[in-house]
């Protein structure tokens, strides 16, 4: 009876595989699943007839499948899972004594045995191979960075962490070295603080606690998703003060986040500026909000600085014209440089085809809040403050990331991104100022806002390839020549290394030819796209790159892959029928940027590998302002009201919610900037705590496949890298030289933020991280700030 039931189950699996394998073959996919299906059906038939040859046939099938797996993916154990897990489990069951003995007794009672030598030996051999693979991973690139530590005159973080990136150079590096690669394993929790700012059902789905705390003025400062500002004792985590206003909860808010605050101290200002400083509020915390306001708070008390703007607040809606609700946002930390606080802005992607807020860059006096200069991409030559009653032109590129500044050379670096709508260009005007500044790093005069130089990182961007990262400034000895550089990470995966005084490429930049055919009517494509010599553009996908937990979701992914347009590069045109965009709009690099040790000239990065499906949905005059819905009734976010097309973007994933492309989805790399070579590369993060649709709750086992990291790394003079951005709720420490894991600790919630480090008054080095989760990634939500120090 057991064999009859087993044969029926195998037959059902075989029929399902035959059906899905045939569909895959019809779209040009592999025929091998049909071979597997036929093998399963023959085995099922022989088993149903109680023929012992069923076991021999199945052993042969297992060896054929093994040969096919090795042919397709070599010895990457994670890619063996969908190809061999089901076949292997069936083989183990068929080799069990109750199956083997039953068949032996029917065919040769006198020689009945509970062990089938061929199948049993095959199963044992397969188990041995799998166990062996547990200790082997072909993916990591092993290496050791050997550059020496030399002093630098660059401004770097030390006892304090005074700006979002440590300093205005945006390096995410600290000269502290109490915690080293040799003692990091002894880290323990020093304190945990809970903000009380938690997501409500009325809040946006992308509710994220992404703040990087500042430590300055003997205080720890950070902001929460609802733009509260908290000030803590750095050694104990005790609350000193909190600034909070009423929460404007709305599910229509595209991003409910605040990545950081900024600090100003009049005592550190130039003598002429210091003389003009007020007696009160001489130390200030600047905070921007998701409802587009710039606030100045007394760093000692948390009260608004009454002399700044309108009783402590500058309304960033000023001179923007008529704006729709939630259209203009501020999510990044403002830049405080010299006597200025400089802000960009964020807009709702693909909300409306036209009438989107300007991407103007504005610089305000840190004391009075007076507008000192503005750089408008539509009018780059006119930086004098806009006249009262005038408005900035709309629909220009925006810079939503934190800016960087070279105060010594008087330059501010603006990573402009796209202009909404991000994925449609049928109405764009070639050679306009808007096009010149789309996806462009711009250097401006810090005092006047005057244009100095620009570098375009993506041409005619139709994929949401904004420049999302804070640029990093340092001096490097590239090929034996000392040069002042700015490093610009991009969503495509490029790391452009440019002379920060001239904008000229230091690392070579090549122009790659890409397709200009297809897409939708009226769309135009650039025939070339820039590619840096230093890049982490993912290898092109093919059918073998598809993944899954079972053969069935892998076949579904393979079939969908063959049905989507994909040109084998990141610049595949979007279509109505569906295109595969790899990397997708989350990018290889995002707002977490990179960490750079300027003393050893080492760059640490966490490049992401995720593919997305882009579908353009035709709008008509009849539905130009109507909401559009998916088949399950979910509204599209990228609706592009009053445009020609709405844009539907979704991760390329199986029905189980698992990415269709094989892991790793997240990596960590170490680059020697003196040569531009990637010295080491490894997977980072595991599957523990993964939010799944196929299991209730979260995945309980931590398989080290390599998880998406949304947030940035931190590196120190102790040769340690800290990162807590992966989708598994862990913070980890790595050896900067080779990427070896030194320490890890599970956080109370997702750590989709960038850590900072500082020296406490107790002469102990602390590492601190915000752990509140990320709505879009589905990590565990919370409101914790956790600090670590050595035992």
């Amino acid at each position: 009876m057991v064999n009859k039931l087993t044969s029926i189950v195998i037959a059902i699996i075989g029929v399902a595989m035959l059906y899905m394998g045939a569909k895959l073959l019809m779209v040009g996919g592999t025929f091998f699943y049909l071979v597997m299906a036929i093998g399963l059906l023959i085995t099922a038939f022989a088993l149903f007839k109680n023929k012992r040859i069923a076991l021999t046939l199945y052993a042969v099938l297992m060896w054929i499948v093994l040969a096919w797996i090795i042919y397709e993916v070599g010895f990457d154990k994670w890619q063996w899972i969908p190809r061999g897990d089901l076949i292997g489990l069936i083989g183990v069951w068929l080799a069990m004594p109750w199956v083997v003995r039953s068949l032996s007794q029917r065919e040769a009672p006198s020689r009945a045995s509970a062990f089938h030598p061929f199948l049993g030996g095959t199963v044992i051999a397969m188990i041995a191979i799998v166990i062996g693979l547990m200790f082997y991973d072909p993916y990591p690139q092993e290496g050791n960075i050997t550059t020496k530590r030399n002093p630098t005159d660059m401004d770097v973080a030390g006892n304090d962490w005074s700006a979002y990136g440590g300093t205005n150079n945006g390096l995410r590096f600290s000269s502290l070295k109490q915690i080293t690669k040799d003692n990091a394993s002894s880290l323990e929790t020093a304190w945990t603080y809970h903000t009380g700012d938690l997501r409500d059902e009325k809040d946006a789905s992308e509710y994220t606690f992404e703040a990087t705390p500042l430590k300055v003025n003997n205080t720890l400062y950070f902001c929460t998703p609802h733009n509260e500002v908290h000030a803590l004792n750095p050694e104990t985590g005790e609350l000193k003060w909190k600034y909070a206003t009423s929460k404007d909860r709305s599910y229509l808010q595209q991003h409910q986040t605040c990545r950081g605050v900024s600090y100003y101290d009049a005592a550190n200002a130039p003598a002429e500026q210091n003389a003009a400083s007020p007696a009160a509020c001489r130390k200030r915390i600047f905070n921007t909000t998701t409802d587009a306001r710039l606030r100045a708070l007394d760093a000692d008390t948390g009260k608004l600085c009454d002399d700044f703007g309108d009783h402590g607040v500058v309304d960033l809606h000023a001179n923007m014209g008529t704006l729709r609700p939630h259209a203009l946002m501020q999510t990044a930390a403002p830049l405080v440089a010299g006597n200025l606080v400089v802000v960009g802005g964020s807009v709702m992607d693909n909300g409306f085809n036209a009438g989107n807020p300007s991407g103007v860059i504005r610089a305000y006096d840190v004391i009075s809040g007076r507008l000192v200069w503005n750089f408008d991409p539509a009018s780059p030559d006119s930086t004098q403050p806009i006249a009262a009653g005038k408005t900035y032109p709309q629909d220009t590129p925006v810079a939503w990331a934190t800016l960087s500044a070279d105060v010594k050379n008087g330059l501010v670096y603006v990573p402009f991104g796209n202009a909404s709508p991000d994925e449609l260009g049928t109405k764009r005007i070639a050679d306009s100022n808007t096009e010149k500044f789309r996806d462009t790093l711009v250097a401006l005069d810090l005092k006047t806002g005057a244009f100095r130089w620009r570098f375009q990182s993506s041409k005619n961007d139709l994929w949401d390839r904004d420049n999302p990262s804070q640029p990093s400034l340092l001096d490097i000895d590239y090929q034996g020549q000392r040069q002042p550089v700015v490093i610009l990470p991009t969503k495509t995966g490029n790391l452009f290394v440019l002379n920060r005084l001239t904008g000229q490429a230091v690392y070579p930049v090549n122009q790659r030819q890409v397709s200009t055919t297809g897409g939708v009517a009226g769309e135009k494509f650039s025939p070339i796209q820039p590619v840096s010599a230093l890049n982490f553009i993912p290898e092109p996908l093919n059918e073998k790159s598809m993944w899954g937990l079972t053969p069935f979701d892998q076949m579904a992914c393979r079939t969908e892959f063959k049905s989507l347009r994909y040109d084998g590069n990141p610049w595949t045109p979007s279509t109505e029928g569906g295109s595969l965009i790899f990397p997708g709009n989350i990018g290889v690099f995002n707002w977490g940027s990179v960490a750079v040790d300027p003393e050893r000239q080492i760059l640490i990065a966490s490049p992401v590998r995720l593919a997305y499906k882009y579908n353009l949905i035709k709008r008509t005059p009849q539905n130009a302002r109507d909401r559009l819905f998916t088949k399950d009734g979910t509204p599209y976010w990228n609706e592009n009201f009053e445009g020609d097309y709405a844009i539907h973007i979704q991760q390329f994933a199986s029905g189980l919610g698992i990415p269709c492309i094989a892991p790793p989805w997240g990596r960590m790399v170490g680059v020697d900037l003196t040569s531009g070579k990637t010295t080491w590369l490894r997977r980072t993060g595991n599957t523990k705590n993964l939010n799944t649709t196929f299991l209730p709750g979260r995945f309980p086992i931590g398989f080290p496949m390599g998880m998406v990291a949304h947030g940035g790394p931190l590196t120190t003079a102790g040769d340690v890298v800290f990162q807590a951005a992966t989708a598994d709720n862990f913070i980890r420490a790595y050896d900067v030289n080779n990427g070896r894991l030194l320490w890890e600790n599970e956080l109370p919630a997702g750590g989709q933020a960038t850590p900072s480090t500082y020296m406490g008054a107790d002469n102990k080095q602390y590492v601190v991280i915000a752990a509140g989760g990320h709505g879009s990634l589905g990590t565990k939500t919370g409101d914790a700030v956790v600090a670590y120090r050595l035992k």
Side-chain angles (χ1 to χ4, degrees):
M1 184 54 138
V2 170
N3 290 352
K4 297 287 187 185
L5 290 174
T6 299
S7 67
I8 292 171
V9 170
I10 294 175
I12 292 172
I13 294 172
V15 169
M17 192 173 291
L18 187 68
Y19 171 73
M20 294 188 70
K23 287 180 64 177
L24 176 59
L25 186 64
M26 289 175 64
V27 295
T30 180
F31 65 89
F32 193 81
Y33 287 98
L34 292 179
V35 173
M36 291 172 64
I38 293 170
L40 287 169
L41 291 172
I42 293 174
T43 299
F45 178 77
L47 187 62
F48 188 83
K49 293 291 188 179
N50 291 309
K51 300 296 185 181
R52 197 167 185 266
I53 196 174
L55 306 182
T56 301
L57 292 172
Y58 197 81
V60 171
L61 177 63
M62 291 182 71
W63 285 109
I64 292 173
V65 170
L66 177 64
W68 171 69
I69 290 174
I70 295 172
Y71 163 75
E72 279 217 323
V73 297
F75 293 94
D76 184 347
K77 55 181 171 289
W78 305 120
Q79 296 202 55
W80 281 38
I81 292 173
R83 293 167 172 85
D85 55 0
L86 191 58
I87 296 297
L89 288 172
I90 293 173
V92 170
W93 176 261
L94 292 179
M96 289 294 103
W98 51 83
V99 175
V100 177
R101 184 182 295 111
S102 173
L103 294 176
S104 299
Q105 288 176 339
R106 286 182 175 272
E107 289 198 357
S110 61
R111 292 184 286 109
S113 172
F115 181 76
H116 189 279
F118 189 21
L119 179 59
T122 296
V123 169
I124 292 171
M126 300 295 179
I127 292 174
I129 292 171
V130 170
I131 291 174
L133 286 179
M134 292 174 65
F135 302 95
Y136 172 73
D137 188 350
Y139 190 83
Q141 175 184 324
E142 300 294 341
N144 197 63
I145 301 177
T146 58
T147 54
K148 302 298 182 183
R149 186 168 300 284
N150 295 307
T152 175
D153 59 2
M154 297 296 297
D155 183 23
V156 299
N159 288 345
D160 286 346
W161 190 271
S162 60
Y164 173 72
T167 66
N168 286 336
N169 292 321
L171 295 172
R172 278 155 287 280
F173 167 80
S174 171
S175 61
L176 296 180
K177 50 186 177 182
Q178 187 179 94
I179 301 171
T180 70
K181 62 183 179 63
D182 298 317
N183 64 21
S185 60
S186 297
L187 285 165
E188 66 177 3
T189 302
W191 52 260
T192 300
Y193 172 78
H194 292 279
T195 69
D197 188 5
L198 293 164
R199 183 179 183 274
D200 184 274
E201 61 181 9
K202 297 177 183 177
D203 280 315
S205 59
E206 186 157 306
Y207 183 92
T208 58
F209 190 15
E210 297 174 344
T212 297
L214 302 189
K215 187 270 181 174
V216 68
N217 190 35
N218 297 316
T219 306
L220 200 70
Y221 301 99
F222 60 89
C223 54
T224 69
H226 282 113
N227 303 114
E228 297 177 1
V229 179
H230 295 234
L232 309 182
N233 180 304
E235 294 79 42
T236 66
E238 293 177 308
L239 180 67
K240 288 188 173 183
W241 57 257
K242 178 173 75 171
Y243 177 87
T245 58
S246 59
K247 296 177 174 63
D248 180 20
R249 300 182 188 272
S250 173
Y251 73 93
L252 294 175
Q253 188 79 46
Q254 190 171 37
H255 305 284
Q256 189 68 57
T257 193
C258 176
R259 296 193 182 98
V261 298
S262 298
Y263 177 74
Y264 170 79
D265 186 348
N268 298 327
E272 65 276 10
Q273 181 185 330
N274 194 14
S277 298
C281 221
R282 290 175 61 81
K283 299 175 182 178
R284 302 185 174 203
I285 292 294
F286 289 95
N287 168 229
T288 53
T289 68
T290 50
D291 62 353
R293 301 179 193 281
L294 172 63
R295 300 190 296 219
L297 305 173
D298 188 306
D300 291 325
T301 67
K303 295 180 179 179
L304 288 167
C305 297
D306 199 60
D307 56 352
F308 182 82
D310 182 8
H311 301 288
V313 180
V314 169
D315 187 353
L316 298 176
H317 293 89
N319 303 103
M320 286 291 192
T322 302
L323 296 181
R324 304 178 182 96
H326 309 296
L328 181 64
M329 299 163 277
Q330 293 285 336
T331 58
L335 171 72
V336 173
N339 65 335
L340 299 175
V341 53
V342 190
V343 297
S346 180
V347 305
M348 188 176 291
D349 292 341
N350 305 307
F352 282 79
N353 189 65
N356 301 292
S358 165
V360 62
I361 305 300
R362 289 174 281 186
Y364 297 91
D365 184 276
V366 290
I367 302 301
S368 67
R370 172 182 60 88
L371 181 64
V372 177
W373 56 257
N374 41 223
F375 180 85
D376 177 6
S379 307
D381 298 325
S382 178
T383 61
Q384 291 296 316
I386 193 169
K390 298 291 185 179
T391 59
Y392 301 108
Q394 295 181 322
D395 302 313
T396 54
V398 299
W400 56 266
T402 295
L403 315 183
S404 300
D406 181 343
V407 177
K408 179 181 177 181
N409 290 297
L411 293 173
V412 57
Y413 299 91
V414 181
F416 276 111
N418 212 331
S420 188
D422 296 23
E423 289 89 9
L424 197 68
T426 54
K427 299 293 198 305
R428 294 178 186 174
I429 301 173
D431 298 323
S432 65
N433 281 330
T434 292
E435 295 311 304
K436 290 177 182 177
F437 289 99
R438 190 185 300 273
D439 290 2
T440 299
L441 178 64
V442 177
L444 304 177
D445 186 281
L446 177 58
K447 292 184 178 180
T448 67
F451 172 79
R452 290 291 176 257
W453 58 259
R454 67 184 179 91
F455 176 87
Q456 193 163 42
S457 62
S458 182
K459 299 183 182 298
N460 192 24
D461 178 10
L462 297 167
W463 304 272
D464 190 14
R465 295 271 163 74
D466 348 89
N467 292 316
S469 301
Q470 182 184 28
S472 299
L473 316 180
L474 73 156
D475 298 337
I476 65 171
D477 297 293
Y478 178 59
Q479 295 184 342
Q481 183 178 355
R482 189 79 165 178
Q483 293 206 49
V485 301
V486 53
I487 300 176
L488 179 70
T490 71
K491 285 187 176 181
T492 309
N494 283 306
L495 287 163
F496 292 106
V497 182
L498 314 171
N499 184 300
R500 69 173 182 271
L501 304 182
T502 67
Q504 297 299 308
V506 174
Y507 286 13
V509 176
N510 298 312
Q511 301 298 327
R512 182 180 296 183
Q513 296 287 329
V514 297
S515 174
T516 59
T517 61
V520 295
E523 194 63 276
K524 303 178 184 67
F525 300 93
S526 171
I528 57 172
Q529 293 291 346
V531 175
S532 172
L534 177 59
N535 75 78
F536 293 93
I537 298 173
E539 289 291 321
L541 298 174
N542 53 41
E543 187 193 334
K544 296 176 185 177
S545 308
M546 297 302 104
W547 201 69
L549 287 181
T550 70
F552 299 106
D553 54 320
Q554 191 195 44
M555 279 188 285
C557 288
R558 284 180 182 248
T559 302
E560 189 169 20
F561 172 78
K562 301 295 289 189
S563 66
L564 294 168
R565 173 165 180 176
Y566 176 61
D567 292 356
N569 63 56
W571 303 282
T572 300
S574 300
T575 60
E576 290 185 78
S579 296
L580 185 64
I581 309 300
F582 181 58
N585 64 332
I586 194 175
V588 174
F589 300 109
N590 208 284
W591 57 265
S593 194
V594 298
V596 182
D597 180 340
E599 297 176 352
R600 294 188 59 197
Q601 301 184 38
I602 297 172
L603 179 143
I604 303 298
S606 302
V608 169
R609 294 179 67 255
L610 281 181
Y612 283 75
K613 296 183 293 184
Y614 286 29
N615 288 82
L616 297 179
I617 302 166
K618 180 68 176 174
R619 279 198 173 278
T620 65
Q622 291 73 32
N623 71 6
R625 295 187 60 85
D626 295 339
R627 294 216 72 181
L628 300 177
F629 296 86
T630 61
K631 291 179 180 179
D632 64 1
T634 304
Y636 294 122
W637 263 111
N638 302 293
E639 300 209 57
N640 195 24
F641 291 112
E642 300 175 11
D644 295 330
Y645 291 88
I647 303 101
H648 187 211
I649 300 175
Q650 55 184 325
Q651 188 185 135
F652 184 36
S654 71
L656 298 178
I658 303 297
C660 272
I661 67 170
W665 307 300
R667 303 163 288 170
M668 181 175 284
V669 297
V671 178
D672 178 353
L673 289 173
T674 64
S675 64
K677 301 298 183 184
T678 300
T679 303
W680 56 262
L681 177 153
R682 60 185 61 252
R683 305 173 192 261
T684 180
N686 61 50
T687 57
K688 188 177 182 183
N689 300 316
L690 202 63
N691 193 13
T692 62
T693 57
F694 59 91
L695 283 176
R698 296 181 179 274
F699 199 72
I701 304 172
F703 295 122
M705 293 181 179
M707 294 292 110
V708 173
H710 212 44
L714 155 71
T715 188
T716 74
D719 290 334
V720 181
V721 177
F722 293 95
Q723 185 195 45
T726 48
D728 55 14
N729 302 350
F730 277 82
I731 182 170
R732 296 180 172 90
Y734 301 88
D735 186 330
V736 76
N737 298 295
N738 50 39
R740 180 173 62 89
L741 180 65
L742 304 172
W743 166 86
E744 62 182 1
N745 183 257
E746 189 169 354
L747 294 163
Q752 280 66 60
T754 304
S756 58
T757 187
Y758 57 88
M759 187 66 76
D762 55 1
N763 200 35
K764 294 181 182 295
Q765 182 182 351
Y766 290 79
V767 176
V768 63
I769 182 72
H774 192 288
S776 295
L777 284 184
T779 50
K780 184 180 178 182
T781 59
D783 65 341
V785 178
V786 186
Y788 299 91
R789 66 186 173 207
L790 294 173
K791 294 177 183 177

